[in-house]
């Protein structure tokens, strides 16, 4: 068993804690760079909003690349998993709440 498999065996509710930790730490480290990049596109995204958007972005990326993780499967399942859906939608709303369009200076 490799180190990654060992770390992924620790789970809460069927989700690997290693995956969550890696996603949130990655976004935390990339948020200053992402905020600067989007500011050049005249979209101001506060660094804390990236943390709220971590899971909604992860689900979207997994859907786009066709990698069906358990969370992605549960989110698109129309028969249940309503708590997960509510959490993801609340995170999306919280993440989008502080985003503003920057007007050009004349």
């Amino acid at each position: 068993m490799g180190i990654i498999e060992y770390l992924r065996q620790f789970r809460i509710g069927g989700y690997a804690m290693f995956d969550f930790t890696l996603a949130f730490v990655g976004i935390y480290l990339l948020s200053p760079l992402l905020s600067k990049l989007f500011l050049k596109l005249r979209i101001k995204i506060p660094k804390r909003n990236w943390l709220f958007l971590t899971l909604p972005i992860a689900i979207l990326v997994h859907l786009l690349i066709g990698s069906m993780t358990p969370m992605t499967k549960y989110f698109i399942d129309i028969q249940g998993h309503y708590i997960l859906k509510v959490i993801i939608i609340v995170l999306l709303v919280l993440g989008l709440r502080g985003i503003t369009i920057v007007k050009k200076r004349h």
Side-chain angles (χ1 to χ4, degrees):
M1 175 185 295
I3 187 78
I4 300 297
E5 290 85 14
Y6 174 74
L7 291 172
R8 291 190 81 225
Q9 76 179 0
F10 301 104
R11 298 177 177 269
I12 293 180
Y15 303 112
M17 296 302 1
F18 176 74
D19 295 343
F20 278 111
T21 304
L22 192 62
F24 283 105
V25 169
I27 286 291
Y28 177 78
L29 294 174
L30 286 175
S31 65
L33 178 66
L34 291 170
S35 291
K36 286 180 185 178
L37 176 69
F38 275 85
L39 196 54
K40 289 183 181 188
L41 300 172
R42 296 181 23 223
I43 301 171
K44 183 179 179 188
I45 304 176
K47 293 173 185 77
R48 71 180 174 99
N49 285 46
W50 289 108
L51 292 174
F52 289 126
L53 292 172
T54 301
L55 293 180
I57 289 172
I59 289 174
L60 179 65
V61 168
H62 283 105
L63 283 171
L64 290 174
I65 64 172
S67 175
M68 298 305 284
T69 64
M71 184 179 292
T72 305
K73 288 178 192 174
Y74 297 157
F75 185 75
I76 63 173
D77 178 21
I78 59 173
Q79 298 298 324
H81 307 286
Y82 298 112
I83 293 173
L84 172 68
K85 291 173 180 145
V86 168
I87 290 170
I88 298 300
I89 291 169
V90 166
L91 288 173
L92 181 64
V93 169
L94 289 173
L96 294 176
R97 191 172 58 165
I99 296 175
T100 57
I101 304 294
V102 178
K103 295 180 181 177
K104 281 188 173 180
R105 293 183 187 174
H106 294 292

